[in-house]
Amino acid sequence: DNLNSCATSKHCLYNSFALTYIGWSLLDRRTTLPMLPWLVAEIRRRCEKGDCGPVMQPREVHLVLCPPFIRCVPTTSNNSSVFIFEHKAQLISRFIHNSNDLTYFAYLLRGQPDNPESEMSCHVFKACDPNQVGLLLSAQHSFQYHEHEWTKTQAKKSNAVIH
């Protein structure tokens, strides 16, 4: 199975989750945290009504955590290099778990990590099992920690002077 091919590095924390990708939306700069559940619900409603367009039809995917990226891979592919989208983990600013329906979750993606004014988007997913969302959030937290530590190690290596 080529999905495991990204796990060849000893620094790679690998997890894959079978989910349904519901869709995404850009966030207005004025969007506040209390507005996020409404935004996630709006993305769900749009796709349930079929108003999400041909590009955003809900589809079965694997969300693959492989530092420094999170890849959304179609379930029809056994190759993690064939993906719908790929996001750098450091650009994910927040996970949102829906308390009304525990199978839905979303994450916010910032266009530029050091710029609070940069464009943000919200990506919505649905799990078959609510417990899977907890596992994914735990894996993502661990993933971001390992990715941060790996980045620090790489920076130290690149700054090392050989005498």
Side-chain angles (χ1 to χ4, degrees):
D1 184 332
N2 287 338
L3 277 178
N4 291 320
S5 66
C6 77
T8 56
S9 165
K10 65 181 178 179
H11 301 291
C12 186
L13 177 68
Y14 172 83
N15 284 291
S16 176
F17 297 89
L19 305 166
T20 301
Y21 180 58
I22 302 302
W24 69 280
S25 180
L26 287 176
L27 272 67
D28 186 281
R29 282 189 28 215
R30 298 166 294 194
T31 302
T32 61
L33 288 178
M35 298 166 90
L36 293 176
W38 175 85
L39 177 67
V40 169
E42 183 59 28
I43 293 169
R44 285 180 57 187
R45 271 192 297 277
R46 242 187 4 226
C47 287
E48 286 169 359
K49 289 195 296 188
D51 293 342
C52 49
V55 176
M56 282 185 34
Q57 291 299 317
R59 61 194 298 183
E60 303 303 310
V61 299
H62 289 283
L63 198 61
V64 181
L65 308 182
C66 185
F69 299 105
I70 292 180
R71 289 185 182 143
C72 186
V73 180
T75 56
T76 55
S77 173
N78 287 330
N79 186 343
S80 66
S81 64
V82 176
F83 47 86
I84 300 166
F85 58 76
E86 175 180 77
H87 297 141
K88 284 191 112 176
Q90 72 182 36
L91 299 180
I92 295 176
S93 63
R94 180 175 299 275
F95 270 85
I96 306 159
H97 195 190
N98 189 333
S99 58
N100 295 326
D101 185 342
L102 298 177
T103 60
Y104 282 89
F105 73 96
Y107 64 76
L108 301 183
L109 188 72
R110 186 171 299 287
Q112 300 169 3
D114 299 329
N115 180 0
E117 298 297 314
S118 71
E119 193 171 71
M120 290 188 74
S121 58
C122 178
H123 294 265
V124 181
F125 297 86
K126 182 180 189 326
C128 296
D129 176 1
N131 295 323
Q132 189 180 22
V133 177
L135 290 172
L136 183 128
L137 295 177
S138 175
Q140 170 60 16
H141 177 71
S142 178
F143 171 83
Q144 285 183 319
Y145 171 78
H146 284 34
E147 204 267 334
H148 175 71
E149 291 299 309
W150 185 82
T151 302
K152 283 188 348 188
T153 302
Q154 292 304 105
K156 285 179 186 175
K157 285 180 183 177
S158 67
N159 289 334
V161 177
I162 300 173
H163 294 283

